[in-house]
């Protein structure tokens, strides 16, 4: 999950660079279909998994679960990409990261309870993204509402994936998700956008990076990892995407990274560490140790 966050963070530079060359629907559709092709190529090189490994999986359930994930991802990514056209990168980065708090909140409705450490880690990560993204003169823009909607659908995708990923082969589930998302966005692009060969050529590197790595590798890693992860834990780890995006913007785009941003990065990383620490076990051990320590008895003169 941390590797997926690294890829997504660096891909944010490519995603931002695609604005003005390829429309948001065409961009999302092409890169998700490219990602599906990358996973299919990898599947051709591996051994076929044993049927007993996923006894609950069948073509019908795979298409149902993967198709639902594809629809949710198509909505979330499209709202994020369209929102970037009418808001700032800072606003988009902060609002999109709010899924780190929304995942445990909505998870309560699904019967998923998390410990104090996860809540503390989520709040630290959200606070860190505030310091990392929000600057003086912050104002709500039209695109911010689209970014918030994208964050809500990302939340649904994380919770849904945590439920359906253990049922299926992760690569097969990833391919169905990518194909459905890609086709839906391409259809939307045909209906509302225009495209040319010149635009495709100028945006080729952003499509390739966003498709082969961000989708083909990172989204597949997400499917594989969330078979054995609590969605709320995953959300905090994925929030490191904002830290890696800031570092990539500093290295590639030469954007400044001041003390405020570095403090935000430290808070996000602290949130990641807190979720991985066994706080309940540490507190119980400390309490037991304190009970065993007997106060020294005073000696009367």
């Amino acid at each position: 999950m941390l590797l997926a966050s690294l890829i997504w963070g660096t891909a944010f530079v490519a995603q931002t660079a695609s604005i003005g060359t390829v429309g948001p629907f065409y961009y999302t559709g092409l890169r998700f279909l490219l990602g599906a092709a990358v996973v299919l190529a990898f599947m051709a090189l591996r051994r076929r998994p044993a049927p007993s490994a996923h006894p609950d999986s069948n073509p019908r359930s795979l298409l149902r679960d993967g198709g639902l994930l594809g629809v949710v991802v198509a909505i979330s990514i499209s709202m994020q990409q369209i929102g970037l056209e009418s808001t700032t990168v800072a606003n988009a980065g902060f609002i999109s990261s709010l899924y780190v708090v929304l995942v445990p909140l909505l998870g309560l409705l699904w019967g998923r309870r998390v410990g104090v450490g996860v809540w503390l880690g989520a709040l630290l990560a959200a606070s860190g993204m505030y310091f990392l993204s929000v600057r003086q003169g912050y104002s709500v823009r039209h695109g911010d509402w689209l970014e918030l909607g994208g964050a809500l659908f990302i939340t649904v995708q994380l919770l849904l994936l945590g439920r359906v990923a253990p049922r299926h082969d992760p690569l097969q589930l990833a391919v169905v998700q990518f194909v459905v998302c890609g086709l839906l966005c391409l259809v939307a692009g045909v209906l509302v956008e225009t495209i040319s060969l010149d635009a495709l050529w100028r945006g080729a590197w952003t499509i390739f990076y966003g498709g082969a790595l961000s989708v083909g590798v990172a989204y597949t890693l997400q499917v594989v990892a969330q078979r054995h992860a609590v969605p709320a834990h995953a959300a905090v780890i994925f929030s490191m995407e904002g830290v890696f995006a800031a570092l990539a913007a500093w290295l590639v785009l030469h954007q400044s990274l001041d003390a405020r941003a570095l403090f935000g990065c430290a808070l996000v990383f602290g949130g990641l560490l807190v979720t991985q620490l066994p706080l309940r076990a540490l507190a119980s051990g400390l309490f037991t140790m304190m009970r065993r320590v007997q106060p020294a008895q005073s000696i009367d003169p």
Side-chain angles (χ1 to χ4, degrees):
M1 288 186 286
L2 194 60
L3 179 57
S5 301
L6 171 62
I7 297 173
W8 284 335
T10 55
F12 193 76
V13 175
Q15 186 176 349
T16 304
S18 70
I19 297 176
T21 56
V22 182
F25 289 118
Y26 272 119
Y27 175 74
T28 303
L30 290 172
R31 74 186 185 108
F32 269 84
L33 290 180
L34 176 59
V38 170
V39 179
L40 285 172
F42 183 78
M43 290 175 62
L45 299 176
R46 69 162 186 172
R47 293 181 178 180
R48 186 177 297 274
S52 58
H54 306 283
D56 297 330
S57 180
N58 56 70
R60 184 175 180 179
S61 64
L62 178 64
L63 184 60
R64 179 198 64 209
D65 294 342
L68 183 57
L69 285 169
V71 172
V72 173
V73 171
I75 296 173
S76 66
I77 298 297
S78 297
M79 293 183 78
Q80 279 189 336
Q81 191 71 15
I82 296 172
L84 276 172
E85 297 180 348
S86 53
T87 189
T88 64
V89 174
N91 286 26
F94 172 63
I95 296 172
S96 297
S97 69
L98 291 179
Y99 67 80
V100 73
V101 178
L102 293 174
V103 167
L105 281 175
L106 293 184
L108 294 175
L109 301 178
W110 287 30
R112 291 183 176 271
R113 295 187 177 183
V114 295
V116 177
V118 176
W119 285 107
L120 180 58
L123 292 176
L124 282 174
S127 302
M129 288 304 301
Y130 174 82
F131 284 101
L132 182 61
S133 302
V134 177
R135 292 291 188 270
Q136 186 176 3
Y138 180 90
S139 60
V140 177
R141 300 169 181 249
H142 173 70
D144 293 345
W145 299 107
L146 291 173
E147 296 295 335
L148 181 59
L152 286 171
F153 279 97
I154 291 175
T155 301
V156 174
Q157 191 255 359
L158 284 168
L159 292 170
L160 183 62
L161 186 58
R163 176 164 298 197
V164 304
R167 305 174 186 171
H168 306 285
D169 174 69
L171 298 188
Q172 294 177 357
L173 183 63
V175 167
V176 175
Q177 177 183 209
F178 299 164
V179 170
V180 171
C181 175
L183 291 178
L184 286 175
C185 291
L186 278 186
V187 170
V190 170
L191 294 176
V192 302
E193 296 175 353
T194 59
I195 197 169
S196 64
L197 291 177
D198 179 64
L200 282 175
W201 176 254
R202 286 186 287 115
W205 78 270
T206 65
I207 296 173
F208 177 80
Y209 193 92
L213 290 179
S214 180
V215 177
V217 176
Y219 268 98
T220 304
L221 289 175
Q222 180 197 21
V223 174
V224 173
Q226 281 205 242
R227 297 172 61 218
H228 310 289
V230 177
H233 286 199
V236 177
I237 297 174
F238 288 143
S239 69
M240 284 293 292
E241 172 189 357
V243 175
F244 292 128
L247 294 175
W250 174 62
L251 290 172
V252 179
L253 303 178
H254 306 291
Q255 296 181 1
S256 62
L257 197 62
D258 55 15
R260 178 186 175 93
L262 291 174
F263 179 65
C265 293
L267 284 178
V268 176
F269 186 68
L272 169 63
L273 294 180
V274 166
T275 60
Q276 303 307 306
L277 292 175
L279 295 183
R280 181 175 296 181
L282 290 175
S284 177
L286 181 61
F287 180 72
T288 302
M289 183 180 67
M290 292 177 63
R291 289 184 60 184
R292 289 178 178 176
V293 175
Q294 300 295 329
Q297 295 181 356
S298 61
I299 303 176
D300 295 330

